Amino acid sequence: MRKRSLGIIGAMLVLMILVSGCISSGGSNSTTTTTTSSNLPFTKEQLESAVAGINSYEYVMDVKTYNGTKLAATLHSSVAIDKENKMKSSVTVANKTGRLIYAVYYYTTKAGFVTLTNKSGLVNWQFSCYDTGKGPEMNSTLLDNLWKDFPLENATVTAEADYYLITVNHTIWSEKGNEKDYSGTVTVKLTKDLIPVEIVQRTYYRRDGQRWVDEVKIEIQNVNSVSVKPPEPLVDYLKSQGVDLEELLGKC
């Protein structure tokens, strides 16, 4: 189980954030065509088909959490994925009120994976080979889950130059056992070939009687042209321990 969860750590972090709120865009100055859900220029099946044709990509995610207007926490994640070659690299750093909470550096090939974790100064690393015939989970990444349960029937689409902006306004669910109502909007920016290039989120909610805001921005780059490389902090740390990353994975 440890192998699987580490193999999708970047996507899981994203999904936890996306599930906790909604997504919104600042791109509102378009003067071009806006289409309601009853007359969209594409179907959900076409969106899913476009994503299914993506074998590799990178994304950078930045999350800011505000308590009222005060910045309370941040998270930065950079992920590169090559599904065809079963390779993935990710860096995730979380801070709370300016203090490091954790940093996770992860690299996997089809043979094995290495992860380096720094939790408030406590550093450890792990290495493991996959069992014969097994490998990293590559079908639960950000884009694989983008359109799952996406309420396209409630969307508004704006054509802006060479892009579509899909926006859904929400007043959404309460978490089970935690009376925390969310509201916000979801905007996904697509090329005219329906390739996602940006997701922006703004979520409003109350917790412990206080007002909170989550802002999330995800930029998707280098679609089908990614060269996955291990995070430099992971490589450097292993070198400081007398370990060569390539030789380590070569044992698998």
Side-chain angles (χ1 to χ4, degrees):
M1 187 67 188
R2 179 168 59 90
K3 296 177 184 177
R4 178 184 177 92
S5 60
L6 285 170
I8 59 173
I9 188 167
M12 286 302 295
L13 285 167
V14 174
L15 290 174
M16 289 188 327
I17 292 165
L18 295 186
V19 167
S20 74
C22 320
I23 301 179
S24 153
S25 169
S28 58
N29 8 347
S30 171
T31 57
T32 51
T33 307
T34 298
T35 306
T36 61
S37 57
S38 59
N39 191 28
L40 295 179
F42 41 73
T43 65
K44 191 168 186 178
E45 289 72 21
Q46 289 174 314
L47 294 173
E48 292 172 340
S49 177
V51 166
I54 297 175
N55 292 317
S56 68
Y57 63 99
E58 294 177 294
Y59 69 85
V60 176
M61 178 179 68
D62 284 291
V63 182
K64 295 180 180 179
T65 296
Y66 295 88
N67 183 351
T69 59
K70 182 180 179 181
L71 182 63
T74 63
L75 183 145
H76 175 83
S77 186
S78 178
V79 182
I81 298 167
D82 184 339
K83 297 170 67 174
E84 189 172 9
N85 293 305
K86 295 188 176 181
M87 299 178 69
K88 181 177 178 181
S89 173
S90 68
V91 176
T92 301
V93 179
N95 292 277
K96 187 175 182 180
T97 58
R99 179 173 57 90
L100 176 69
I101 301 300
Y102 65 85
V104 180
Y105 308 94
Y106 172 76
Y107 180 66
T108 187
T109 67
K110 59 184 177 183
F113 68 84
V114 184
T115 183
L116 171 67
T117 304
N118 180 345
K119 289 187 177 181
S120 301
L122 180 62
V123 179
N124 65 79
W125 67 282
Q126 295 177 324
F127 158 71
S128 182
C129 298
Y130 294 110
D131 295 333
T132 302
K134 303 293 183 178
E137 173 58 65
M138 303 302 289
N139 294 317
S140 297
T141 68
L142 171 71
L143 293 186
D144 293 307
N145 293 282
L146 179 59
W147 302 119
K148 182 180 180 182
D149 300 324
F150 190 91
L152 192 61
E153 64 278 4
N154 297 323
T156 298
V157 176
T158 301
E160 182 181 82
D162 297 327
Y163 299 96
Y164 292 120
L165 299 178
I166 306 178
T167 301
V168 179
N169 293 309
H170 282 289
T171 298
I172 54 177
W173 56 90
S174 298
E175 288 184 336
K176 293 181 179 178
N178 185 3
E179 296 180 0
K180 185 165 59 176
D181 295 322
Y182 297 89
S183 65
T185 57
V186 180
T187 296
V188 181
K189 185 176 183 179
L190 309 171
T191 67
K192 290 299 178 69
D193 294 328
L194 307 184
I195 302 300
V197 296
E198 185 179 86
I199 303 169
V200 184
Q201 165 176 305
R202 186 171 285 111
T203 309
Y204 305 92
Y205 56 96
R206 299 190 69 83
R207 187 173 69 201
D208 300 326
Q210 296 180 322
R211 179 182 172 87
W212 293 79
V213 180
D214 290 342
E215 294 181 350
V216 182
K217 183 176 182 180
I218 303 171
E219 294 181 324
I220 299 151
Q221 307 165 346
N222 299 323
V223 172
N224 288 332
S225 61
V226 170
S227 176
V228 177
K229 298 179 180 179
E232 288 187 11
L234 172 61
V235 175
D236 293 342
Y237 179 82
L238 292 179
K239 280 184 179 179
S240 74
Q241 304 299 306
V243 178
D244 182 271
L245 177 60
E246 290 189 8
E247 291 181 2
L248 186 66
L249 290 171
K251 296 176 180 179
C252 295

